[in-house]
Amino acid sequence: KEERPEVRLNIISNLDCVNSVIGIQQLSQSLLPAIVELAEDSKWRVRLAIIEYMPLLAGQLGVEFFDEKLNTLCMAWLVDHVYAIREAATNNLKKLVEKFGVEWAQSTVIPKVLAMARDQNYLHRMTCLFCINVLSEACGPDVTGKVLLPTVISMANDNVANVRFNVAKSLQKLTPRMEAQATHSAIKPVLDKLITDTDVDVKYFASEALAVLSG
């Protein structure tokens, strides 16, 4: 209940020590309001700090508690108005998948991330691509090819050039993380189309991705 967020953050950063002394049930009851308050703090650096503790919290509190109480917060950070928060929230997802597993990701996180591809705000659509980039590292070639890739491909026709060139960059990142056959048949036609785009940046990143593909 300390007024200064730094003090509350310091307790949370030493959560494993606190947990071993007072137990997770009591801890979660007193801790949750503080976490939620910090997560929505007006100072973005406070929000950033709590995101960085999220994998630690997840490990201490367990998957059921996390899904019930904290998952919504983690998804909300992805659409924060501060870029540094969106970036940290994206990296946080990868750490959570590494902690809770790919099956958890497919049922809990991935559907929400993929839904952002249809968001009206182009910044949120770009965040969707950034999330796919990091999730592909944690989820393996099968999920990347069957679940994540189709959404990236569907975004190649976006009306915002920034989104289209990030599609090319995402395809370049996904290429080494997938089965070779799926890569060529699904990705190459998209890049061939993007390389003829009217926007110079889209052309450039499509050509970079094609070089990786053919290399």
Side-chain angles (χ1 to χ4, degrees), residues 126 129-130 133 152 161-171:
M126 280 171 49
L129 290 169
F130 301 152
N133 294 347
V152 179
N162 266 21
V163 176
R164 294 199 303 279
F165 81 61
N166 274 290
V167 165
K169 287 167 86 170
S170 288
L171 291 174

Side-chain angles (χ1 to χ4, degrees), residues 26-89:
Q26 192 180 341
L27 181 62
S28 59
Q29 285 168 7
S30 52
L31 194 66
L32 190 65
I35 292 169
V36 173
E37 211 172 295
L38 290 165
E40 295 167 349
D41 196 278
S42 59
K43 297 188 197 78
W44 69 267
R45 289 186 188 280
V46 173
R47 298 202 299 282
L48 186 63
I50 198 76
I51 294 173
E52 283 164 0
Y53 293 135
M54 208 37 86
L56 169 76
L57 285 168
Q60 294 289 318
L61 298 168
V63 69
E64 281 178 32
F65 183 94
F66 182 85
D67 281 348
E68 190 187 332
K69 309 285 188 188
L70 298 178
N71 197 3
T72 311
L73 276 181
C74 289
M75 300 313 293
W77 282 321
L78 291 172
V79 295
D80 196 280
H81 64 277
V82 176
Y83 175 77
I85 300 292
R86 298 198 299 274
E87 185 181 37

Side-chain angles (χ1 to χ4, degrees), residues 188-207:
K188 192 172 185 303
V190 182
L191 292 174
D192 285 339
K193 184 171 179 290
L194 289 173
I195 208 165
T196 64
D197 199 276
T198 51
D199 185 271
V200 64
D201 289 327
V202 178
K203 281 182 178 178
Y204 171 77
F205 288 111
S207 68

Side-chain angles (χ1 to χ4, degrees), residues 14 18 37 46-47 60 83 95 100 112 123 131 136 153 168 179-181 186 191 196 199-200 208 213:
N14 292 292
V18 182
E37 211 172 295
V46 173
R47 298 202 299 282
Q60 294 289 318
Y83 175 77
K95 291 174 189 166
F100 291 148
K112 291 176 183 171
L123 292 172
C131 288
S136 69
I153 289 171
E179 309 293 341
Q181 192 180 354
L191 292 174
T196 64
D199 185 271
V200 64
E208 291 270 292
L213 194 65

